[in-house]
């Protein structure tokens, strides 16, 4: 290397670049660490990389009020927001470690190793982790990142004397900067990291490809017990009202999965075990398809839905009656002397959901669903199999990517959300929502169609009433419904006068109970209260 002719001016410039290059070294080392981790995760088990692990661990540990806030603020982009937030934090930390290594190399290097340890702990602590091998991606990434930081921070321009007394120019030129060495190492590392990251993604992607192929190959048999056609008029012709059947692509999504599980239906098995079974069962996807399939209209709602909120959707599900399966296996509901009162379902991503055995076996159409609106379940909605139980909030019934059912008791086991302040049992509360007019709409005075949906799954909606300002409650017209398990559309022709008016809605369920005015939070067992909107006819 010929550095002997470097003019002093250039030496000075190189030195003043030092902090920048140190930060860059940190960033590159962080990038290399994540890329190598991704590669190893692709080899060991996709989804065990540090970002997914730490993000998942953060989701698991988010206190309920913060999670509620995140859902309110970011809606279904909550996970995207989390990933971006993590990207920014990781970049800042990596640059900081680079700067630290520039001042004290072992400290920066140790910092990277420490973060690797955090990733490893997060990965092995996830509910779906059953092997210490899940720590490997983070550890391998950290070692690679630490080695690179060690290498790069040794090739920085020497510090200004003032920065590091005693260190620095020991007669070498160009500010002591092995510029070529640094650039070669940095660009080689960047290229290798990108290669490792891409390779890791491809490896991890192979499993996803198998899953995608297995889904494409599914053809759902015609259900032995098809649903009746929707009654004529179930869908109102009022513009602005939610469609009776929610298209799959518009169906709300609520889950803790940072990366959507992609399960290969061919390799999928469901275990059913626990108290009261004659012997444990293992079922394949084909085993399920060979049984009699029922097709049912069931509306799903989330306990995190605020009054007037969007987390409700309706689909026509195809699946296997859970009560039949359990009955054949010898399970009896508590009312018939069975000891197990809780059915715990577990998903491939470690979610646990507890459902009352009594509800599943009381004659309602609780099912292991394989189809949603005429197609195999979309991946985000639980392919290949999920549970659906009419009348219960999703977090106590609707396990997606299900792979295990255990019969136990509520005394013996708290499921995921129950450990996090939510109620162990949560029948859906009667709710009604004004879909149109929208808040602060300015329709022309005269007849304005007020319309929306009301739900009280498995009890049914018997009456919906609308109130204008402080006026009397007036009955809305109810659309027909296929069963008590679905939401019900309603409409009310309002003779609107100019000015600002508050419209309020309330519903009465099939047992005759009217929706309470009392406002509660979503935690612990679902929001209650009346939905109202302010409208300003002109
Ligand atoms: N595996 C798994 N299943 C899950 C969840 C989850 O986080 N993980 N969330 C539950 C909740 S809270 C709801 S409301 C429903 C939502 O189902 P959807 O996303 O298909 O609308 O799924 C339930 N099943
Ligand atoms: Mo939910």
């Amino acid at each position: 290397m010929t550095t002997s002719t470097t003019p002093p001016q250039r030496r000075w410039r190189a030195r003043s670049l030092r902090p920048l290059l140190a930060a860059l070294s940190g960033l590159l080392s962080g990038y290399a660490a994540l890329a190598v981790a991704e590669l190893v995760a692709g080899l060991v088990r996709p989804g065990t990389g540090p970002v997914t692990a730490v993000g998942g661990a953060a989701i698991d540990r988010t206190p309920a009020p913060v999670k509620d806030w995140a859902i309110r603020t970011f809606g279904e982009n909550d996970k995207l927001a989390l990933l971006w937030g993590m990207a920014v934090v990781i970049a800042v930390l990596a640059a900081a470690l680079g700067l630290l290594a520039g001042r004290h190399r072992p400290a920066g290097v140790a910092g990277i190793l420490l973060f690797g340890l955090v990733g490893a702990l997060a990965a092995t602590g996830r509910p779906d982790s059953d092997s210490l091998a899940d720590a490997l991606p983070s550890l391998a990434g950290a070692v690679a990142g630490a080695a690179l930081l060690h290498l790069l921070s040794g090739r920085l321009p020497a510090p200004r004397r003032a920065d590091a007394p005693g260190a620095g120019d020991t007669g070498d030129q160009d500010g002591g900067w092995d510029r070529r060495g640094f650039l070669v190492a940095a660009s080689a590392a960047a290229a290798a990291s990108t290669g490792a990251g891409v390779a890791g993604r491809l490896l991890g992607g192979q499993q996803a490809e198998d899953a995608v192929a297995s889904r494409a190959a599914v053809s759902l048999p015609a259900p032995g017990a098809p649903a009746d056609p929707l009654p004529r008029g179930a869908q109102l012709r009022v513009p602005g009202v939610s469609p009776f059947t929610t298209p799959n692509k518009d169906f709300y999504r609520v889950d803790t999965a940072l990366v959507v599980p992609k399960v290969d239906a061919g390799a999928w098995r469901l275990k059913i075990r626990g108290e009261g079974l004659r012997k444990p069962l293992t079922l394949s996807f084909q085993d399920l398809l060979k049984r009699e399939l029922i097709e049912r209209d069931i509306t799903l709602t989330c306990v995190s839905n605020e009054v007037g909120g969007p987390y409700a959707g309706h689909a026509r599900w195809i699946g296997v009656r859970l009560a039949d399966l359990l009955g054949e296996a010898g399970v009896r509901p508590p009312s018939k002397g069975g000891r197990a009162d809780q059915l715990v379902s577990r998903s491939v991503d470690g979610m646990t959901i507890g459902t009352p055995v009594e509800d599943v076996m009381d004659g309602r159409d609780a099912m292991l669903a394989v189809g949603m609106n005429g197609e195999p379940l979309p991946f985000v909605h639980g392919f290949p199999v999920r549970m659906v139980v009419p009348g219960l909030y999703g977090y106590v019934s609707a396990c997606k990517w299900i792979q295990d059912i255990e019969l136990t008791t509520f005394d013996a086991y708290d499921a995921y959300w129950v450990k996090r302040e939510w109620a162990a049992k949560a029948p859906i509360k009667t709710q009604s929502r004004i879909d149109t007019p929208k808040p602060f709409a300015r329709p022309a005075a005269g007849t304005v169609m007020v319309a929306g949906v009301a739900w009280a799954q498995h009890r049914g909606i018997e009456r919906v009433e609308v109130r204008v300002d402080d006026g009397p409650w007036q009955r809305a017209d109810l659309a027909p419904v296929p069963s008590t398990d679905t939401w019900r559309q309603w409409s009310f022709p309002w003779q609107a006068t100019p000015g600002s008016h508050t419209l309020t809605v309330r519903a009465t369920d099939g047992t005759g109970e009217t929706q309470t005015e009392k406002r509660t939070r979503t935690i612990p067992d679902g929001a209650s209260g009346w939905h109202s909107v302010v409208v300003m006819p002109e």
Side-chain angles (χ1 to χ4, degrees):
M1 204 164 303
T2 54
T3 52
S4 54
T5 55
T6 311
Q9 193 192 2
R10 200 149 138 208
R11 202 177 307 164
W12 179 84
R13 222 187 297 140
R15 280 175 191 164
S16 63
L17 273 179
R18 183 179 164 95
L20 199 70
L21 293 167
L24 179 69
S25 305
L27 279 173
L28 274 174
S29 305
Y31 178 56
L34 294 182
V36 168
E38 192 66 35
L39 175 62
V40 177
L43 291 167
V44 175
R45 195 163 75 86
T48 53
V51 177
T52 323
V54 172
I59 292 175
D60 290 345
R61 280 165 189 75
T62 307
V66 179
K67 192 170 305 188
D68 235 35
W69 167 83
I71 290 181
R72 271 202 310 280
T73 312
F74 303 113
E76 298 187 17
N77 292 323
D78 56 344
K79 288 171 199 92
L80 200 62
L82 175 66
L83 284 176
W84 273 107
M86 285 181 67
V88 171
V89 170
I90 289 170
V92 169
L93 285 173
L97 286 177
L99 285 167
L100 182 63
R103 304 209 140 216
H104 188 63
R105 189 147 67 149
V109 170
I112 294 214
L113 293 173
L114 194 67
F115 281 109
L117 208 57
V118 171
L121 286 175
T124 50
R126 294 300 328 276
D128 60 338
S129 173
D130 53 7
S131 154
L132 285 180
D134 291 349
L136 278 179
S138 291
L139 295 181
V143 169
L148 181 63
L149 187 58
H150 182 83
L151 186 88
L152 290 178
S153 49
R155 281 169 174 66
L156 296 172
R160 270 173 277 175
R161 275 173 218 274
D163 286 352
D169 298 60
T170 44
D172 44 356
Q173 287 81 22
D174 201 1
W177 191 26
D178 177 5
R179 183 168 58 162
R180 199 161 165 274
F182 181 89
L183 287 179
V184 167
S187 22
S193 303
T194 303
V198 169
R201 276 295 151 105
L202 289 177
L203 282 168
Q206 184 55 49
Q207 191 182 321
E209 273 174 39
D210 294 346
V212 170
S214 79
R215 183 174 182 276
V218 172
S219 84
L220 294 175
D228 292 330
L230 285 186
R232 183 182 282 276
Q235 170 70 64
L236 293 176
R237 292 178 187 208
V238 179
V241 73
S242 320
F244 185 84
T245 302
T246 316
N248 288 353
K249 65 173 181 23
D250 300 332
F251 207 97
Y252 81 90
R253 172 188 168 198
V254 171
D255 57 57
T256 59
L258 206 46
V259 177
V260 175
K262 296 267 170 68
V263 179
D264 177 348
W268 177 87
R269 295 290 181 276
L270 174 69
K271 278 207 198 70
I272 307 183
R273 62 198 172 88
E275 267 180 56
L277 269 98
R278 253 179 263 111
K279 60 174 188 353
L281 292 175
T282 303
L283 298 161
S284 69
F285 191 62
Q286 287 307 321
D287 291 337
L288 285 186
L289 294 192
K290 272 187 238 143
R291 297 182 60 96
E292 160 158 309
L293 297 177
I294 59 171
E295 183 186 40
R296 293 292 182 267
D297 277 296
I298 299 166
T299 300
L300 218 63
T301 39
C302 180
V303 70
S304 293
N305 194 48
E306 301 281 347
V307 172
Y311 300 131
H314 178 87
R316 176 166 279 194
W317 308 90
I318 292 177
V320 169
R321 276 184 71 96
L322 193 48
D324 292 352
L325 258 180
L326 296 176
E328 282 170 31
V331 177
R332 278 173 299 148
S335 62
K336 299 223 169 70
R339 268 195 307 153
D341 62 358
Q342 180 176 221
L343 181 156
V344 173
S345 39
R346 289 187 168 78
S347 70
V348 301
D349 64 331
M351 172 55 60
T352 53
I353 285 182
T355 311
V357 174
E358 196 63 50
D359 291 351
V360 168
M361 301 190 78
D362 71 357
R364 73 183 80 193
D365 293 318
M367 63 164 105
L368 291 170
V370 294
M372 182 179 184
N373 291 330
E375 57 168 317
L377 295 178
F379 286 108
V380 287
H381 296 297
F383 181 84
V385 181
R386 76 175 304 169
M387 253 172 65
V388 174
V389 183
L392 305 183
Y393 285 121
Y395 86 103
V396 287
S397 67
C399 189
K400 305 194 274 190
W401 316 291
I402 192 172
Q403 66 170 359
D404 184 87
I405 287 178
E406 181 190 4
L407 287 137
T408 177
T409 60
F410 280 101
D411 279 345
Y413 186 75
D414 284 340
Y416 183 93
W417 301 102
V418 179
K419 293 191 182 98
R420 292 165 174 78
E421 305 173 47
W422 298 85
K425 296 184 186 172
I428 293 168
K429 293 183 179 175
T430 304
Q431 268 299 335
S432 48
R433 184 175 78 194
I434 300 172
D435 286 343
T436 183
K438 295 279 173 240
F440 308 111
R442 297 173 169 277
T447 305
V448 172
M449 265 300 180
V450 183
V453 287
W455 61 80
Q457 290 92 314
H458 209 57
R459 299 185 301 279
I461 291 293
E462 185 178 283
R463 184 165 70 236
V464 170
E465 296 157 294
V466 174
R467 189 177 70 180
V468 182
D469 300 320
D470 294 325
W473 285 102
Q474 303 178 69
R475 278 209 184 204
D477 297 314
L478 291 179
V481 276
S483 77
T484 57
D485 293 340
T486 75
W487 58 12
R488 189 161 195 178
Q489 299 196 344
W490 58 268
S491 64
F492 175 76
W494 170 38
Q495 301 312 315
T497 54
S500 176
H501 297 288
T502 303
L503 300 172
T504 306
V505 65
R506 70 176 188 191
T508 299
D509 72 12
T511 72
E513 196 167 321
T514 299
Q515 182 185 340
T516 174
E517 177 178 14
K518 190 169 168 259
R519 277 266 178 174
T520 60
R521 302 193 303 163
T522 56
I523 308 165
D525 61 355
S528 67
W530 295 336
H531 186 215
S532 52
V533 298
V534 173
V535 188
M536 292 175 289
E538 307 178 302

